[in-house]
Amino acid sequence: MNAEALISELVAELDDAGLRGSFLVRDLRSGREIGIDPDITHPVASLIKIPLAAATAERIRRGELDGATELLVLPGQVTTPGPTGLSRFRHPARVAVDDLMYLAMALSDNVAADSLFGITPPAEVTRMLREWGLRGITARHRVGDLSETPAERFDTADVHLAHSLAIGAATAGRGHPIAQLDVTRANSGSARDFVNLLQALWTPSAIDGGVAERVRELMGANLIRHRLAPDFSSDASTWSSKTGTVLNLRHEVGVVEHAGGGVFAVAALTESRVPAATQPEAEALMARVARVLHDRLRTG
């Protein structure tokens, strides 16, 4: 099967499952790549924590911040399912900047991320991305805004109604009455934009080598491993990644490093037409599509 036929088949599988999305796999050694609609801009949810971590690490390198500085973090007191870490704390805590970076990346802790945005605002993160020559990803708002969607206004039994609203209210131009799903108001980027960021973190680039190493370490510590990780982790490979989820959007971007020497950046940004909060079949399918694209690229 040629690449065009393979992509058509994968798109049909996604559509049958109520999914559409953007995928891109790039061989970071040769530059060869294969993808599905990789240039469509999406709201990126918690994927924005990768550039946030890079910007924070860069400011530490410059001496503008001290990673040992403790910040007073007010409790998130979140009671809805999903958020982790400080987001569920009931009492104030003092946490070092370095440790907030770990919590934001490894646990996808929104309160930790917003503590970091408090000292490096979204506009500054975007400015630093442009300084590094990365022009697609835009940070516009705090991560905590992701927990202020219609889903939080319904009881658990009725959360499908929020997903129905998310699915049905989108416009052809990728606008949306829900700000977190509107690409002109949300933190945004494409699969290609994130693969470009991963390439800048895994290969020599304008990003300082020590900063890149710190972000790679944080992505390697990711504890959320139910999405792409089952298809990319093994005794012969390591998978370093970050997930992003809000309403009907499910994303993951990462790098798989094979013991044999191959290094591939992978981005999967998807949206579902199925009004359900829990969709293990969607998680498994997006992983399978990403893996098929990877295998096709790896084997030539």
Side-chain angles (χ1 to χ4, degrees), residues 163-240:
H163 286 258
S164 295
L165 174 61
I167 295 162
T171 70
R174 305 192 67 74
H176 206 289
I178 299 174
Q180 298 89 338
L181 302 181
D182 185 327
V183 296
T184 66
R185 292 184 288 166
N187 300 323
S188 63
S190 69
R192 186 178 304 281
D193 295 331
F194 275 91
V195 165
N196 288 342
L197 173 59
L198 295 174
Q199 181 163 352
L201 292 168
W202 257 262
T203 64
S205 72
I207 300 177
D208 175 78
V211 169
E213 181 179 11
R214 176 61 172 149
V215 179
R216 293 197 302 268
E217 176 188 13
L218 291 168
M219 293 180 67
N222 183 15
L223 297 176
I224 302 175
R225 304 185 66 81
H226 66 285
R227 195 161 287 169
L228 267 59
D231 279 71
F232 286 98
S233 299
S234 73
D235 288 346
S237 63
T238 59
W239 174 244
S240 305

Side-chain angles (χ1 to χ4, degrees), residues 110 114 140-149 152 179-180 185 187 246:
N110 288 350
D114 280 342
R140 294 187 175 95
H141 62 77
R142 301 177 312 119
V143 183
D145 293 344
L146 298 175
S147 61
E148 298 169 4
T149 73
E152 283 66 49
Q180 298 89 338
R185 292 184 288 166
N187 300 323
V246 61

Side-chain angles (χ1 to χ4, degrees), residues 13 17 24 29 32 34 45 56 71 101-102 104 113 132 134-135 140 190 195 240 250 291 295:
E13 283 189 48
L24 187 64
R29 297 198 166 179
R32 294 171 56 246
I34 185 171
T56 304
L71 301 182
M101 291 170 64
Y102 168 76
W132 292 325
L134 299 165
R135 309 212 170 269
R140 294 187 175 95
S190 69
V195 165
S240 305
R250 290 168 177 78
R291 182 69 201 208
D295 291 351

